[in-house]
Amino acid sequence: METAVTKLETMFQKAESDLDYIRHRLEFEILKGLPDDLAPEENPVALLEEIAVVKSRYKMLCMQMKNVFIEQRESIRRICAALVNTMKIVRVLKQHAGLECLPLSAEEQAAALQFTCQTAELLVEEPSFSGSTSTASTEGEH
């Protein structure tokens, strides 16, 4: 199994290296054929570099969004646990105070069920962050 993983990693590294070489070669060929007095916004190499910067920023934002999502999911889990614990404490305090613990009304049961379902969906839901996957790029930063 480890040899297969190592082989795949080597293949990806070679592919990345090949793409870097192709990118550099293309830049060289483009620069060779361009006039010297070309405006920066018309320069394809400059545009490629700007695209690489934008792509890098996009990937960084996707990673940040994934981290925010993970923290949000953890916060929701903690809030739910605290709410359940608080409800248990209230029930115990009512029993110790001699107050009658009435069963939940139909409306309260529906609200509790809806809360449980919504939080369960949030905790299970896994959004896709398209920038978080490794793809071949034009900036060669992998």
Side-chain angles (χ1 to χ4, degrees):
M1 183 68 166
E2 273 188 49
T3 49
V5 171
T6 305
K7 186 176 179 181
L8 277 175
E9 286 176 350
T10 304
M11 288 172 49
F12 279 114
Q13 288 172 352
K14 180 171 180 350
E16 186 176 341
S17 177
D18 290 347
L19 287 172
D20 285 341
Y21 172 77
I22 291 168
R23 180 179 60 92
H24 289 295
R25 183 72 182 179
L26 270 173
E27 287 176 3
F28 175 74
E29 293 296 325
I30 290 171
L31 286 175
K32 224 171 57 170
L34 290 177
D36 293 335
D37 60 343
L38 192 64
E41 60 271 359
E42 295 175 0
N43 185 341
V45 175
L47 292 174
L48 285 174
E49 289 172 1
E50 286 183 40
I51 289 172
V53 169
V54 169
K55 186 175 178 182
S56 175
R57 288 181 184 162
Y58 173 76
K59 282 184 177 187
M60 186 175 63
L61 285 173
C62 286
M63 287 177 16
Q64 289 174 350
M65 287 301 300
K66 186 173 184 176
N67 290 338
V68 166
F69 172 78
I70 290 168
E71 290 297 323
Q72 181 184 30
R73 187 169 51 184
E74 182 61 23
S75 294
I76 289 171
R77 189 190 64 73
R78 287 181 183 158
I79 290 169
C80 290
L83 183 60
V84 167
N85 193 31
T86 301
M87 290 171 63
K88 288 178 184 176
I89 290 171
V90 167
R91 184 169 288 135
V92 168
L93 287 173
K94 280 184 178 181
Q95 288 173 349
H96 284 352
L99 297 174
E100 184 179 344
C101 291
L102 299 173
L104 295 177
S105 68
E107 184 178 301
E108 291 170 331
Q109 287 177 352
L113 181 62
Q114 183 180 9
F115 173 76
T116 304
C117 291
Q118 286 176 347
T119 53
E121 287 174 8
L122 287 173
L123 293 174
V124 171
E125 181 180 293
E126 187 70 34
S128 65
F129 297 98
S130 59
S132 63
T133 60
S134 178
T135 58
S137 67
T138 58
E139 74 267 17
E141 62 182 30
H142 287 89

